[in-house]
Amino acid sequence: MEFQITGQNIKITEALRQTVEEKCSKFEQYFDHINAIHIILKVQKFNQIAEATAKVNGAELHASAQEDDMYAAIDAMVEKMARQLTKYKEKLKQH
């Protein structure tokens, strides 16, 4: 699985990069065939936004979260993406 982390109006520190990679590495528990994940961390005025796009076999899944704290936004985004990956995996099993 390949990670690409981008920051808009924020500098990606080593601590942020490490946190994102640690949390997103758990996605493989939910779905095995993830090709790449692109994570965008944004700061807009007082809002911290974390977005992720996962490229899986046959689809592209997108999750976004907005919080007051960047680490809270990352946690919320990871939860949303985990739900989507689980839902996609169940959808594939039904076919």
Side-chain angles (χ1 to χ4, degrees):
M1 181 167 50
E2 183 181 318
F3 290 108
Q4 183 180 5
I5 302 171
T6 307
Q8 291 181 353
N9 300 328
I10 187 173
K11 184 179 181 212
I12 304 297
T13 62
E14 191 58 37
L16 265 176
R17 180 177 301 281
Q18 206 170 28
T19 301
V20 168
E21 287 182 0
E22 178 183 312
K23 299 225 182 232
C24 291
S25 65
K26 296 178 183 175
F27 289 155
E28 290 182 334
Q29 295 175 352
Y30 301 105
F31 192 70
D32 296 335
H33 306 291
I34 300 172
N35 299 329
I37 296 180
H38 184 207
I39 295 128
I40 301 172
L41 305 177
K42 298 180 188 178
V43 175
Q44 294 178 346
K45 292 191 180 183
F46 302 110
N47 298 324
Q48 313 287 324
I49 302 168
E51 296 179 349
T53 304
K55 295 184 182 191
V56 296
N57 293 345
E60 230 177 64
L61 304 175
H62 183 78
S64 178
Q66 178 176 333
E67 296 287 337
D68 292 334
D69 179 43
M70 182 57 76
Y71 291 99
I74 292 168
D75 288 340
M77 179 267 303
V78 166
E79 289 176 17
K80 288 180 182 182
M81 183 60 76
R83 258 189 314 234
Q84 287 187 21
L85 287 169
T86 304
K87 195 173 182 181
Y88 185 71
K89 184 176 180 178
E90 292 298 319
K91 183 180 175 182
L92 288 178
K93 281 184 180 179
Q94 289 178 359
H95 283 273

